[in-house]
Amino acid sequence: MPDEAARKKMALDYAQRINAGDIEGVLDLFADDIVFEDPVGRPPMVGKEDLRRHLELAVSCGTHEVPGPPMTSMDDRFVVTPTVVTVRKPRPMTFRIVGIVELDENGLGHRVQAFWGVTDVTMDTAVGTAVDTARDEPEAAGTAPGTDPAHPEGNRA
Amino acid sequence: MPDEAARKKMALDYAQRINAGDIEGVLDLFADDIVFEDPVGRPPMVGKEDLRRHLELAVSCGTHEVPGPPMTSMDDRFVVTPTVVTVRKPRPMTFRIVGIVELDENGLGHRVQAFWGVTDVTMDTAVGTAVDTARDEPEAAGTAPGTDPAHPEGNRA
């Protein structure tokens, strides 16, 4: 089983590869039977082809992830990472997300759950200028017109 | 079902009541069938009497929780909170924890999972002076003598 350091490295590699647009590199972090639930509460993506489409969309939207310190668990299975995710398209938005990855005995992710809700999304006023209004106006993000707050990229492929 | 604002309030109320030593107030946030897994990977506490003993120990150890912004999910069930927890006894320690609470239709917590590992614990050099060495020395916390890193309070009742 992957130790705590290996699990934390996996989470940081994930963000680094997403930010680099390295889709194949991201896919290498996961098992073939990956179940990727993003966000929790929507039907998960299952398998690498599903995940590849999701990643291609994410990269095409200019997704950038800034992970906080990953945490683990006492059962050799999980890595848990609070992350601030920004996208440029279809409009600038910021998402606060906690990602939980369950790894298999080979250190590959086989289940991902991304926890975030409508009130964890912020519409940004300009590219590169994230204005976090979510804490003061919890409903603002979810009711902004012309966007799909159900997905970081704005639209599920 | 509790909306996102209600779920986030529950998480913040939990920290506030723990910090105030208000054990009955904390218990009021949970259903009678609460399953409280802290840390994930150890046998959970089940039911309010089990949880009460855990909370009494936590308060007696000077537990103080500083929650980050809570996040939610799209299925009306979860609130997820990265938290920095400090204790004064048996010696000063700092824990980085992500707590996931699943709430029932009445807004009461009925399952808690606290994700943290040995490398998420820091031994503090003096009371009130938390020195975070965990990121540079991942094994330091877990190998320090005379402590039980399996539990924020140092010893499970």
Side-chain angles (χ1 to χ4, degrees):
Chain A
M1 299 296 292
D3 65 14
E4 293 195 15
R7 281 177 276 159
K8 291 183 177 185
K9 181 176 186 303
M10 185 273 186
L12 298 175
D13 285 349
Y14 174 87
Q16 183 184 46
R17 294 177 190 186
I18 281 275
N19 294 348
D22 178 10
I23 290 169
E24 296 308 314
V26 175
L27 289 169
D28 287 344
L29 298 172
F30 295 102
D32 289 342
D33 63 349
I34 175 68
V35 176
F36 199 100
E37 189 178 6
D38 178 15
V40 169
R42 299 294 166 94
M45 292 155 271
V46 178
K48 284 200 171 181
E49 286 314 303
D50 245 24
L51 180 56
R52 184 193 305 276
R53 283 189 291 274
H54 171 76
L55 296 170
E56 286 172 350
L57 182 60
V59 168
S60 76
C61 292
T63 296
H64 186 82
E65 304 210 357
V66 179
M71 281 146 276
T72 62
S73 62
M74 294 288 183
D75 60 0
D76 300 330
R77 290 166 55 199
F78 295 98
V79 62
V80 180
T81 314
T83 301
V84 176
V85 179
T86 54
V87 301
R88 291 198 301 268
K89 301 175 185 174
R91 58 173 289 181
M93 291 187 280
T94 299
F95 300 75
R96 285 186 190 275
I97 297 175
V98 169
I100 298 189
V101 181
E102 186 174 359
L103 292 86
D104 65 15
E105 62 274 16
N106 301 311
L108 297 173
H110 67 100
R111 185 167 186 212
V112 173
Q113 292 185 290
F115 285 89
W116 56 279
V118 169
T119 55
D120 302 313
V121 185
T122 309
M123 301 298 159
D124 300 334
T125 52
V127 175
T129 309
V131 178
D132 184 356
T133 60
R135 296 176 72 176
D136 296 326
E137 303 171 41
E139 298 305 321
T143 55
T147 59
D148 175 6
H151 203 248
E153 292 76 39
N155 299 284
R156 169 89 37 119
Chain B
M1 297 298 291
D3 65 13
E4 293 196 14
R7 279 177 278 157
K8 292 183 177 186
K9 181 176 186 302
M10 185 273 189
L12 299 175
D13 285 348
Y14 174 86
Q16 183 183 49
R17 293 177 192 185
I18 282 274
N19 293 349
D22 179 10
I23 291 169
E24 296 308 314
V26 175
L27 289 169
D28 286 344
L29 298 171
F30 295 101
D32 288 340
D33 64 349
I34 176 67
V35 176
F36 198 101
E37 189 179 6
D38 178 15
V40 169
R42 300 294 166 95
M45 293 154 270
V46 179
K48 283 200 170 181
E49 285 314 304
D50 245 23
L51 180 56
R52 184 193 303 275
R53 283 188 291 274
H54 172 76
L55 296 170
E56 286 172 349
L57 182 60
V59 168
S60 76
C61 291
T63 296
H64 186 82
E65 304 210 357
V66 179
M71 281 147 276
T72 63
S73 62
M74 293 290 183
D75 59 2
D76 299 331
R77 291 165 54 199
F78 295 98
V79 63
V80 180
T81 314
T83 301
V84 177
V85 178
T86 54
V87 300
R88 290 199 301 268
K89 302 176 187 174
R91 58 173 287 181
M93 292 186 282
T94 299
F95 299 76
R96 287 185 188 275
I97 297 175
V98 169
I100 298 189
V101 181
E102 185 173 358
L103 293 87
D104 66 15
E105 62 275 13
N106 301 311
L108 297 174
H110 68 98
R111 186 168 185 212
V112 173
Q113 291 185 291
F115 286 89
W116 57 279
V118 169
T119 56
D120 302 315
V121 185
T122 309
M123 301 298 158
D124 301 335
T125 53
V127 175
T129 309
V131 177
D132 184 356
T133 61
R135 296 176 75 175
D136 296 326
E137 303 170 39
E139 298 306 321
T143 55
T147 60
D148 175 6
H151 202 248
E153 292 77 39
N155 298 285
R156 170 106 14 133

Short mmCIF file of all heavy atoms in Angstrom, two decimals, chain A residues 76-113:
data_model
loop_
_atom_site.label_atom_id
_atom_site.label_comp_id
_atom_site.label_asym_id
_atom_site.label_seq_id
_atom_site.Cartn_x
_atom_site.Cartn_y
_atom_site.Cartn_z
N ASP A 76 -4.13 3.59 5.28
CA ASP A 76 -3.30 3.42 4.07
C ASP A 76 -4.07 3.60 2.77
O ASP A 76 -3.57 3.20 1.71
CB ASP A 76 -2.65 2.02 4.04
CG ASP A 76 -1.75 1.79 5.24
OD1 ASP A 76 -1.19 2.77 5.75
OD2 ASP A 76 -1.61 0.62 5.67
N ARG A 77 -5.24 4.22 2.82
CA ARG A 77 -6.07 4.23 1.61
C ARG A 77 -6.30 5.60 0.99
O ARG A 77 -6.56 5.69 -0.21
CB ARG A 77 -7.44 3.61 1.93
CG ARG A 77 -7.37 2.12 2.17
CD ARG A 77 -8.65 1.61 2.81
NE ARG A 77 -9.83 1.95 2.05
CZ ARG A 77 -11.09 1.95 2.54
NH1 ARG A 77 -11.30 1.65 3.81
NH2 ARG A 77 -12.10 2.26 1.77
N PHE A 78 -6.29 6.67 1.79
CA PHE A 78 -6.81 7.95 1.28
C PHE A 78 -5.78 9.06 1.29
O PHE A 78 -4.87 9.09 2.11
CB PHE A 78 -8.00 8.40 2.14
CG PHE A 78 -9.20 7.50 2.07
CD1 PHE A 78 -9.42 6.55 3.05
CD2 PHE A 78 -10.10 7.61 1.02
CE1 PHE A 78 -10.53 5.70 3.00
CE2 PHE A 78 -11.21 6.78 0.95
CZ PHE A 78 -11.42 5.82 1.94
N VAL A 79 -6.01 10.00 0.36
CA VAL A 79 -5.38 11.31 0.45
C VAL A 79 -6.49 12.35 0.21
O VAL A 79 -7.34 12.16 -0.65
CB VAL A 79 -4.19 11.49 -0.52
CG1 VAL A 79 -4.61 11.36 -1.98
CG2 VAL A 79 -3.50 12.82 -0.28
N VAL A 80 -6.47 13.40 1.02
CA VAL A 80 -7.56 14.38 1.06
C VAL A 80 -6.94 15.77 0.91
O VAL A 80 -6.08 16.15 1.69
CB VAL A 80 -8.32 14.28 2.40
CG1 VAL A 80 -9.46 15.29 2.44
CG2 VAL A 80 -8.84 12.86 2.61
N THR A 81 -7.40 16.52 -0.09
CA THR A 81 -6.72 17.77 -0.44
C THR A 81 -7.71 18.91 -0.65
O THR A 81 -8.53 18.86 -1.57
CB THR A 81 -5.89 17.59 -1.72
OG1 THR A 81 -5.15 16.37 -1.64
CG2 THR A 81 -4.94 18.76 -1.91
N PRO A 82 -7.65 19.93 0.20
CA PRO A 82 -8.44 21.15 -0.09
C PRO A 82 -7.74 21.91 -1.22
O PRO A 82 -6.53 22.11 -1.17
CB PRO A 82 -8.36 21.95 1.22
CG PRO A 82 -7.69 21.04 2.23
CD PRO A 82 -6.90 20.04 1.46
N THR A 83 -8.49 22.30 -2.22
CA THR A 83 -7.90 22.90 -3.41
C THR A 83 -8.74 24.08 -3.89
O THR A 83 -9.96 24.03 -3.85
CB THR A 83 -7.81 21.84 -4.54
OG1 THR A 83 -7.02 20.73 -4.08
CG2 THR A 83 -7.17 22.42 -5.79
N VAL A 84 -8.05 25.12 -4.32
CA VAL A 84 -8.72 26.25 -4.98
C VAL A 84 -8.50 26.08 -6.47
O VAL A 84 -7.36 26.03 -6.94
CB VAL A 84 -8.17 27.60 -4.49
CG1 VAL A 84 -8.83 28.74 -5.27
CG2 VAL A 84 -8.41 27.76 -2.99
N VAL A 85 -9.60 25.95 -7.19
CA VAL A 85 -9.55 25.70 -8.63
C VAL A 85 -10.12 26.91 -9.37
O VAL A 85 -11.21 27.37 -9.06
CB VAL A 85 -10.38 24.44 -9.00
CG1 VAL A 85 -10.35 24.20 -10.50
CG2 VAL A 85 -9.87 23.22 -8.24
N THR A 86 -9.36 27.40 -10.33
CA THR A 86 -9.88 28.47 -11.18
C THR A 86 -10.00 27.98 -12.62
O THR A 86 -9.24 27.13 -13.06
CB THR A 86 -8.97 29.72 -11.15
OG1 THR A 86 -7.64 29.33 -11.48
CG2 THR A 86 -8.98 30.37 -9.77
N VAL A 87 -10.99 28.52 -13.31
CA VAL A 87 -11.12 28.28 -14.75
C VAL A 87 -11.23 29.63 -15.45
O VAL A 87 -11.66 30.62 -14.85
CB VAL A 87 -12.36 27.41 -15.08
CG1 VAL A 87 -12.29 26.06 -14.38
CG2 VAL A 87 -13.65 28.13 -14.72
N ARG A 88 -10.83 29.65 -16.71
CA ARG A 88 -10.94 30.89 -17.50
C ARG A 88 -12.19 30.88 -18.38
O ARG A 88 -12.71 31.95 -18.70
CB ARG A 88 -9.70 31.07 -18.37
CG ARG A 88 -8.43 31.37 -17.58
CD ARG A 88 -7.34 31.97 -18.48
NE ARG A 88 -6.99 31.09 -19.58
CZ ARG A 88 -6.01 30.18 -19.54
NH1 ARG A 88 -5.29 30.04 -18.43
NH2 ARG A 88 -5.74 29.42 -20.56
N LYS A 89 -12.63 29.69 -18.78
CA LYS A 89 -13.79 29.56 -19.66
C LYS A 89 -14.83 28.66 -19.00
O LYS A 89 -14.44 27.73 -18.28
CB LYS A 89 -13.38 28.96 -21.01
CG LYS A 89 -12.35 29.75 -21.76
CD LYS A 89 -11.95 28.96 -23.02
CE LYS A 89 -10.81 29.66 -23.76
NZ LYS A 89 -10.32 28.84 -24.89
N PRO A 90 -16.11 28.81 -19.28
CA PRO A 90 -16.69 29.83 -20.18
C PRO A 90 -16.63 31.24 -19.60
O PRO A 90 -16.82 32.21 -20.33
CB PRO A 90 -18.14 29.37 -20.34
CG PRO A 90 -18.42 28.62 -19.08
CD PRO A 90 -17.14 27.96 -18.70
N ARG A 91 -16.35 31.37 -18.33
CA ARG A 91 -16.05 32.67 -17.75
C ARG A 91 -15.19 32.41 -16.52
O ARG A 91 -15.18 31.29 -15.99
CB ARG A 91 -17.32 33.44 -17.39
CG ARG A 91 -18.23 32.73 -16.42
CD ARG A 91 -19.37 33.60 -15.97
NE ARG A 91 -18.88 34.66 -15.08
CZ ARG A 91 -19.65 35.58 -14.52
NH1 ARG A 91 -20.95 35.58 -14.77
NH2 ARG A 91 -19.15 36.49 -13.73
N PRO A 92 -14.48 33.40 -16.05
CA PRO A 92 -13.62 33.18 -14.89
C PRO A 92 -14.43 32.82 -13.65
O PRO A 92 -15.37 33.53 -13.27
CB PRO A 92 -12.89 34.52 -14.72
CG PRO A 92 -12.96 35.16 -16.07
CD PRO A 92 -14.30 34.74 -16.64
N MET A 93 -14.06 31.71 -13.06
CA MET A 93 -14.74 31.25 -11.85
C MET A 93 -13.70 30.62 -10.93
O MET A 93 -12.69 30.10 -11.38
CB MET A 93 -15.81 30.22 -12.17
CG MET A 93 -17.01 30.77 -12.91
SD MET A 93 -18.34 29.55 -13.10
CE MET A 93 -17.71 28.60 -14.48
N THR A 94 -14.01 30.67 -9.64
CA THR A 94 -13.17 30.03 -8.64
C THR A 94 -14.02 29.04 -7.84
O THR A 94 -15.15 29.36 -7.45
CB THR A 94 -12.56 31.08 -7.69
OG1 THR A 94 -11.74 31.97 -8.46
CG2 THR A 94 -11.70 30.42 -6.61
N PHE A 95 -13.46 27.85 -7.63
CA PHE A 95 -14.14 26.80 -6.89
C PHE A 95 -13.29 26.42 -5.69
O PHE A 95 -12.09 26.19 -5.82
CB PHE A 95 -14.30 25.54 -7.76
CG PHE A 95 -15.10 25.76 -9.01
CD1 PHE A 95 -14.55 26.43 -10.10
CD2 PHE A 95 -16.40 25.28 -9.10
CE1 PHE A 95 -15.30 26.62 -11.25
CE2 PHE A 95 -17.14 25.48 -10.25
CZ PHE A 95 -16.60 26.15 -11.33
N ARG A 96 -13.93 26.33 -4.53
CA ARG A 96 -13.28 25.71 -3.37
C ARG A 96 -13.73 24.26 -3.33
O ARG A 96 -14.93 23.98 -3.26
CB ARG A 96 -13.69 26.40 -2.08
CG ARG A 96 -13.06 27.73 -1.85
CD ARG A 96 -13.43 28.25 -0.46
NE ARG A 96 -13.03 29.62 -0.31
CZ ARG A 96 -11.80 30.01 0.05
NH1 ARG A 96 -10.87 29.10 0.30
NH2 ARG A 96 -11.51 31.28 0.16
N ILE A 97 -12.77 23.35 -3.36
CA ILE A 97 -13.07 21.92 -3.49
C ILE A 97 -12.25 21.13 -2.48
O ILE A 97 -11.08 21.45 -2.25
CB ILE A 97 -12.74 21.43 -4.92
CG1 ILE A 97 -13.64 22.15 -5.94
CG2 ILE A 97 -12.88 19.91 -5.04
CD1 ILE A 97 -13.31 21.83 -7.39
N VAL A 98 -12.84 20.12 -1.87
CA VAL A 98 -12.04 19.12 -1.17
C VAL A 98 -12.11 17.83 -1.98
O VAL A 98 -13.20 17.30 -2.21
CB VAL A 98 -12.54 18.86 0.27
CG1 VAL A 98 -11.86 17.63 0.86
CG2 VAL A 98 -12.24 20.07 1.15
N GLY A 99 -10.96 17.37 -2.44
CA GLY A 99 -10.88 16.13 -3.20
C GLY A 99 -10.41 14.99 -2.32
O GLY A 99 -9.41 15.12 -1.61
N ILE A 100 -11.15 13.90 -2.36
CA ILE A 100 -10.75 12.69 -1.64
C ILE A 100 -10.43 11.62 -2.66
O ILE A 100 -11.28 11.28 -3.49
CB ILE A 100 -11.87 12.21 -0.71
CG1 ILE A 100 -12.15 13.28 0.34
CG2 ILE A 100 -11.50 10.88 -0.05
CD1 ILE A 100 -13.06 12.82 1.43
N VAL A 101 -9.20 11.14 -2.63
CA VAL A 101 -8.79 10.07 -3.54
C VAL A 101 -8.53 8.81 -2.72
O VAL A 101 -7.77 8.84 -1.75
CB VAL A 101 -7.51 10.44 -4.32
CG1 VAL A 101 -7.13 9.32 -5.27
CG2 VAL A 101 -7.70 11.76 -5.06
N GLU A 102 -9.18 7.73 -3.13
CA GLU A 102 -8.87 6.41 -2.55
C GLU A 102 -7.95 5.69 -3.51
O GLU A 102 -8.25 5.57 -4.70
CB GLU A 102 -10.17 5.62 -2.33
CG GLU A 102 -9.92 4.31 -1.61
CD GLU A 102 -11.19 3.57 -1.25
OE1 GLU A 102 -12.30 4.09 -1.55
OE2 GLU A 102 -11.09 2.46 -0.70
N LEU A 103 -6.81 5.24 -2.99
CA LEU A 103 -5.80 4.61 -3.84
C LEU A 103 -5.82 3.10 -3.65
O LEU A 103 -6.19 2.59 -2.58
CB LEU A 103 -4.41 5.14 -3.49
CG LEU A 103 -4.16 6.62 -3.86
CD1 LEU A 103 -4.64 7.54 -2.75
CD2 LEU A 103 -2.69 6.87 -4.15
N ASP A 104 -5.41 2.40 -4.68
CA ASP A 104 -5.32 0.94 -4.56
C ASP A 104 -3.92 0.55 -4.06
O ASP A 104 -3.09 1.40 -3.74
CB ASP A 104 -5.68 0.25 -5.88
CG ASP A 104 -4.69 0.55 -7.00
OD1 ASP A 104 -3.57 1.05 -6.72
OD2 ASP A 104 -5.02 0.28 -8.16
N GLU A 105 -3.67 -0.75 -3.99
CA GLU A 105 -2.41 -1.22 -3.40
C GLU A 105 -1.19 -0.81 -4.24
O GLU A 105 -0.06 -0.82 -3.76
CB GLU A 105 -2.43 -2.74 -3.21
CG GLU A 105 -2.57 -3.54 -4.47
CD GLU A 105 -4.03 -3.73 -4.90
OE1 GLU A 105 -4.92 -3.00 -4.40
OE2 GLU A 105 -4.28 -4.60 -5.75
N ASN A 106 -1.44 -0.42 -5.51
CA ASN A 106 -0.35 0.02 -6.37
C ASN A 106 -0.15 1.54 -6.35
O ASN A 106 0.66 2.07 -7.10
CB ASN A 106 -0.63 -0.43 -7.82
CG ASN A 106 -0.75 -1.93 -7.92
OD1 ASN A 106 0.09 -2.66 -7.40
ND2 ASN A 106 -1.82 -2.41 -8.55
N GLY A 107 -0.93 2.22 -5.53
CA GLY A 107 -0.80 3.66 -5.45
C GLY A 107 -1.56 4.40 -6.53
O GLY A 107 -1.36 5.61 -6.72
N LEU A 108 -2.43 3.68 -7.24
CA LEU A 108 -3.24 4.33 -8.28
C LEU A 108 -4.62 4.69 -7.72
O LEU A 108 -5.20 3.94 -6.93
CB LEU A 108 -3.42 3.38 -9.47
CG LEU A 108 -2.12 3.01 -10.19
CD1 LEU A 108 -2.41 1.94 -11.26
CD2 LEU A 108 -1.48 4.24 -10.83
N GLY A 109 -5.11 5.84 -8.14
CA GLY A 109 -6.43 6.25 -7.69
C GLY A 109 -7.51 5.39 -8.31
O GLY A 109 -7.52 5.18 -9.52
N HIS A 110 -8.40 4.87 -7.48
CA HIS A 110 -9.52 4.13 -8.08
C HIS A 110 -10.88 4.69 -7.69
O HIS A 110 -11.90 4.28 -8.23
CB HIS A 110 -9.43 2.62 -7.83
CG HIS A 110 -9.60 2.19 -6.43
ND1 HIS A 110 -10.79 1.67 -5.96
CD2 HIS A 110 -8.75 2.17 -5.40
CE1 HIS A 110 -10.63 1.36 -4.68
NE2 HIS A 110 -9.41 1.64 -4.32
N ARG A 111 -10.88 5.70 -6.79
CA ARG A 111 -12.11 6.43 -6.56
C ARG A 111 -11.75 7.86 -6.18
O ARG A 111 -10.86 8.08 -5.36
CB ARG A 111 -12.96 5.79 -5.45
CG ARG A 111 -14.29 6.50 -5.32
CD ARG A 111 -15.33 5.78 -4.49
NE ARG A 111 -16.58 6.51 -4.58
CZ ARG A 111 -17.48 6.57 -3.60
NH1 ARG A 111 -17.29 5.92 -2.48
NH2 ARG A 111 -18.59 7.28 -3.76
N VAL A 112 -12.44 8.80 -6.79
CA VAL A 112 -12.27 10.21 -6.46
C VAL A 112 -13.63 10.79 -6.13
O VAL A 112 -14.62 10.53 -6.83
CB VAL A 112 -11.65 10.99 -7.65
CG1 VAL A 112 -11.63 12.49 -7.36
CG2 VAL A 112 -10.24 10.48 -7.94
N GLN A 113 -13.66 11.56 -5.04
CA GLN A 113 -14.86 12.33 -4.72
C GLN A 113 -14.46 13.79 -4.56
O GLN A 113 -13.60 14.11 -3.74
CB GLN A 113 -15.52 11.83 -3.44
CG GLN A 113 -16.13 10.45 -3.55
CD GLN A 113 -16.86 10.09 -2.27
OE1 GLN A 113 -16.25 9.87 -1.23
NE2 GLN A 113 -18.17 10.06 -2.33
#
